[in-house]
Amino acid sequence: RPEYCWIKEHCVETSHGVLHVTVHGAGNVRRPAILTFHDVGMDSKSCFSTLFKFEEMQEIVKNFTVVHVDAPGQEDGAAIYPAGYQYATMDQISDMLPAVLQYFNFRTIIGVGVGAGAYILSKFTLTNPEAVEGLVLINVDTNARGWMDWAAQKLSNLTSSLSDQILSHLFSQEEMSANTELIQTHKERIAKAPNLINIELFWKSYQGRRDLNIERNNTFKCPVMLVVGDQAPYEECICTVTPCVVFIQMADAGGMPQLTQPSKLTEAFKYFIQGMGYSNLACSHSPDLCV
C-alpha cells in the first residue's frame, strides 16, 4: 500500500510519564506534522478516525505526517492507574508534548485539538510559539471553571453518572435530548470502558484547568481556526483574541463537528492549510513541490 498509509504506535517517555502516540505517514520533516489531541471520554481513534479516514481528507493525509497523541492512560488497552494515583494536570500534559516533537524530530506542528485536547494544545502553543505553525481548536474553552460551574459540577457528581457528565460535555443539549444513535454509542463505550478509572482522572484534571488568560496576557502568534458546532457552548471563548483567528460555526454539527460534519470540516481545514502557504496538496507524486 502507499507509503503514506503506514501506521506505527509509539510509547514516548516524558517528564510527566509515558504518552501513547500513533503516527500515520512517511515522516517528512520538511513540513510540519499534523498533531491531534482528543477530548475527555475519548481516545485518538474515537475522536479523529471519522475525520482522518474521510475520503476528501486523504488529499491532506498524503502530504503531511499525522501524529495522534493519547492523553495519559486513555488509549485502548491502557493499564489501570492504582487508587490514589496523582494524575497529570492540564499544564503538565501540555509540558509532555515537547518530548513528542523531539522524539520524532519534528521542528513544527499544526495542532488539531477537541475540547480538553484543544485546551492542552492552546497551552502548548502559548508556551512554545515557535513550535506551532497553525492551530485548529474545536469546542475549546480556555477559561477555568467559574464558581457557578464548580457548584453545578458538585451537584452533577451527586446526581449523574460519570458517563452522563462527560456526554453533557461532548454533545449539545439538543443532541442529548434527541438521544441519537451517536449518543447511545458513546454512552455505552464510556460506561463499559475497561479504563474507566483513568477516564475519570482525565475528566477531573480537565475540570481543574487554569484560566489561560488569553485575552489579558497572551495571544497566539500563529494562525488559528476556531470551530464550534451549532448549539455548542464554546463560541464566545476566544473568538476575538487575535486578528489571525478564523471562526467557523457549523450548522447541523451538534457538539462534535469532526464526527457529524467531516466533509465541512475537511473543506475548512484545506483552506486553512492553503492559507498558511501549503498549497497544491494533491501533488502526491512530487511531495516536495507541495510546500
Side-chain angles (χ1 to χ4, degrees):
R1 57 186 181 177
E3 185 179 13
Y4 63 83
C5 287
W6 68 253
I7 301 172
K8 190 171 182 180
E9 298 185 32
H10 302 260
C11 291
V12 180
E13 293 278 354
T14 79
S15 57
H16 297 291
V18 177
L19 284 178
H20 177 264
V21 181
T22 306
V23 178
H24 300 240
N28 187 335
V29 296
R30 296 183 61 180
R31 274 168 283 163
I34 296 174
L35 186 146
T36 75
F37 213 114
H38 61 88
D39 204 351
V40 175
M42 312 184 85
D43 57 18
S44 58
K45 292 180 181 178
S46 59
C47 193
F48 291 109
S49 286
T50 298
L51 178 63
F52 281 90
K53 288 183 178 180
F54 187 68
E55 182 178 357
E56 295 175 14
M57 179 61 82
Q58 301 318 301
E59 187 179 351
I60 295 174
V61 174
K62 289 176 182 178
N63 291 285
F64 289 86
T65 301
V66 181
V67 183
H68 297 298
V69 179
D70 287 300
Q74 307 305 300
E75 72 274 12
D76 188 26
I80 306 303
Y81 291 127
Y85 180 82
Q86 188 65 43
Y87 194 80
T89 65
M90 291 286 103
D91 287 359
Q92 288 172 333
I93 296 174
S94 170
D95 290 340
M96 298 166 86
L97 293 180
V100 175
L101 272 65
Q102 184 177 11
Y103 183 90
F104 295 106
N105 196 29
F106 295 137
R107 185 178 59 85
T108 58
I109 65 165
I110 298 170
V112 181
V114 180
Y119 176 95
I120 290 166
L121 287 178
S122 296
K123 174 65 176 178
F124 172 74
T125 302
L126 293 172
T127 308
N128 305 272
E130 73 290 341
V132 184
E133 292 194 27
L135 200 55
V136 178
L137 303 175
I138 303 171
N139 290 347
V140 67
D141 186 351
T142 61
N143 301 318
R145 287 187 305 159
W147 184 87
M148 291 297 293
D149 294 325
W150 177 85
Q153 184 62 42
K154 283 290 186 181
L155 179 61
S156 177
N157 290 344
L158 295 175
T159 60
S160 303
S161 67
L162 176 64
S163 59
D164 286 339
Q165 293 173 45
I166 294 176
L167 286 172
S168 66
H169 160 74
L170 294 175
F171 297 100
S172 67
Q173 288 302 313
E174 287 77 5
E175 287 174 298
M176 293 288 289
S177 298
N179 199 25
T180 63
E181 183 179 349
L182 183 63
I183 301 292
Q184 287 296 321
T185 298
H186 280 270
K187 184 174 184 177
E188 184 176 351
R189 184 181 56 79
I190 295 171
K192 295 183 178 180
N195 62 336
L196 189 60
I197 293 174
N198 299 5
I199 293 174
E200 183 175 13
L201 289 172
F202 186 32
W203 173 239
K204 290 181 176 179
S205 178
Y206 178 62
Q207 291 297 303
R209 66 190 181 278
R210 297 192 304 160
D211 196 319
L212 294 183
N213 295 320
I214 288 180
E215 294 184 2
R216 292 188 291 275
N217 302 328
N218 300 302
T219 186
F220 294 119
K221 309 299 183 184
C222 65
V224 178
M225 183 170 79
L226 290 177
V227 181
V228 296
D230 51 354
Q231 290 92 45
Y234 308 97
E235 60 191 85
E236 298 180 358
C237 295
I238 57 172
C239 59
T240 60
V241 174
T242 165
C244 294
V245 165
V246 176
F247 177 65
I248 299 174
Q249 183 177 34
M250 290 190 174
D252 303 319
M256 299 288 279
Q258 80 280 10
L259 297 181
T260 57
Q261 292 288 357
S263 178
K264 291 181 181 179
L265 188 53
T266 296
E267 183 178 7
F269 191 33
K270 282 184 180 180
Y271 283 121
F272 181 68
I273 290 179
Q274 289 172 351
M276 294 168 55
Y278 296 100
S279 58
N280 301 322
L281 294 177
C283 54
S284 57
H285 295 296
S286 301
D288 290 337
L289 299 178
C290 294
V291 180

